[in-house]
Amino acid sequence: MQSGKLRHRITLQARSGAVDDLGQPLDDWADVLTTWATVQPVSGREFQEGAQVEAEVTHKVWLRWRAGVALTPEMRVVYDGRVLDILSAVNVEERNRMWLLLCREAV
């Protein structure tokens, strides 16, 4: 991927694991990484032509591979004040160079 296409600033977040006074998990998120990425909206036509799993995908997010950062569907992306839940994290071609995140915008 050309570096010029990575023009959107995103923050990856994971649940903080904090609990309240009663031991119940809090819905707190901690920043894992802030980086440049490509955020590509997926049109309704594109995701209806694909597999059924992709019916909920609203965005594709491309970013460079980072050693030591394991992306999972339990994480989320914050972009321009919007929250994108990660549905799938794909190591493109298993080459440890690019991540493709299939996301759904949280409502």
Side-chain angles (χ1 to χ4, degrees):
M1 169 158 286
Q2 297 171 347
S3 60
K5 291 187 178 189
L6 302 175
R7 64 181 184 275
H8 304 109
R9 197 71 168 159
I10 65 164
T11 300
L12 296 166
Q13 295 183 331
R15 290 194 187 275
S16 67
V19 294
D20 64 13
D21 295 337
L22 300 174
Q24 299 297 317
L26 296 173
D27 194 26
D28 287 341
W29 294 85
D31 293 350
V32 174
L33 173 70
T34 299
T35 188
W36 293 101
T38 297
V39 179
Q40 177 185 23
V42 179
S43 75
R45 180 174 163 77
E46 284 178 317
F47 67 75
Q48 287 195 6
E49 290 177 353
Q52 187 174 13
V53 157
E54 294 184 36
E56 296 182 71
V57 172
T58 60
H59 292 79
K60 292 180 183 177
V61 179
W62 297 84
L63 62 143
R64 290 180 197 261
W65 175 269
R66 294 288 175 105
V69 177
L71 299 178
T72 66
E74 287 79 34
M75 300 173 82
R76 70 183 189 178
V77 174
V78 177
Y79 163 65
D80 196 28
R82 297 157 50 196
V83 176
L84 306 175
D85 294 325
I86 298 174
L87 299 176
S88 177
V90 179
N91 178 0
V92 178
E93 296 178 2
E94 297 292 325
R95 297 184 68 193
N96 295 347
R97 293 188 180 179
M98 294 296 297
W99 281 106
L100 169 60
L101 306 177
L102 301 177
C103 301
R104 173 182 50 218
E105 188 163 4
V107 179

